[in-house]
Amino acid sequence: MHITDVRGFALSSPIEPPQDRDFHGGTRRLLKRDVVLAVVETADGLRGAASAGATSSAMREYFEGDSHGTFADVLENEVADALEGEEIDEITDAHERIEATALPARLETKAISAVDVALHDIRGKELGAPVYELLHERYEDPPAPATVLPLYASSGMYMEPAEFAEQAGYVEEAGFFGYKYRPGIGPDADRRTIDRVSEALDETELMLDAHTWWKLEDGYDDETVDEIVSYADEQGAYWIEEPVAPDDYAGYERLAATGATLAGGESESSPDGLLALAETGAVDFLQGDVRHHRGFTGCHRAIEYCRGRDIEFVPHNFGTWLGLLANAHLVAAAPDVDLVEYPIFENDPLVDASGDPGMYPFDLAFDIVDGRPPVENGRLTVPDEPGLGIDIDLEVIEEYPFIEGAWTEFHYA
């Protein structure tokens, strides 16, 4: 493929009015959600797209002080200079050209992630094949691709225990495999929430995304974390995600010794980091993400590592429908991988329930694509059209202009 154009668009989806959420030790204010849309075009008139951005658990501005706007500039400048006018035979050739720009490591990884996904989208269109078929061919002796995938709902952020339970009920009504929520409202209240949510769910699995415990100014100490993790496990939690800081491998190993089921990996800064966490043997679910771990190519290594071992790859996915479909193609192709994360935002048109289990408004998540992903009763059918199987709506560039500043603020008592 001959690349003619590489563009990056920083976009913001405002939360109006801003929402305040009380947590242990303070209040979090939600102002907006930011996305970088990466678009690559070829001389043949084909277009590939990918969404990019910081991991949702980062709770800081992008890249230690920079913004999504500066990352879009990186795509428009250093990455465009490296790729425009070049003939790319293998997608990894683009990786090497970006590596030659000598970007800082984190920026390099994010740039390669976005370009890798966009180029797979183009390659699928060139060959008239969905991306999952291209990925499937890379595995030795794989089973047939699985294109109807169960979704677990990612929702629930800093509410009262009864509100979490009510939301969990709506998620189960909509047919999702699991309900994942964000605790962090205080140790006693977190335990009460586990009780209320487990009572509210019948067939849907209970999941905790516990990054608040170590991210906040007044985080939980080791003894408190150990107690809550053990309690959640006793109450049947499917997993407890990121209960300790990403680099605290000793903490993961300490908690794994309790017998609790742990998940982690989304905050690892590279595919090598994903593998290092997996090799501790402390996590049961490894959460790579095509948007953060060098695209489909980078995640392939982690999936191959998990294959045949007592650890399951489940991609992290928190953002737009474009990111959802990219991770879904990865899951459809991969052996021993079958679960996809589905973040629920307010007024989500794909959630069929008597109440709204959405976290907060994020209209750009839906509007970034033209059409809707085929989701019914909590299951996604991966499109079999060429590429990612869905087109981006470039009108969002005008409709969602970038807003400078942090997307979220933390105010401590």
Side-chain angles (χ1 to χ4, degrees), residues 20 109 149 153 173 221 361:
D20 289 339
T109 295
L149 306 175
E173 181 184 348
D221 59 27

Side-chain angles (χ1 to χ4, degrees), residues 229 243 249-262 280-284:
V229 166
Y249 288 1
Y252 272 110
E253 291 167 350
R254 184 189 75 246
L255 291 170
T258 71
T261 302
L262 305 179
T280 66
V283 294
D284 304 273

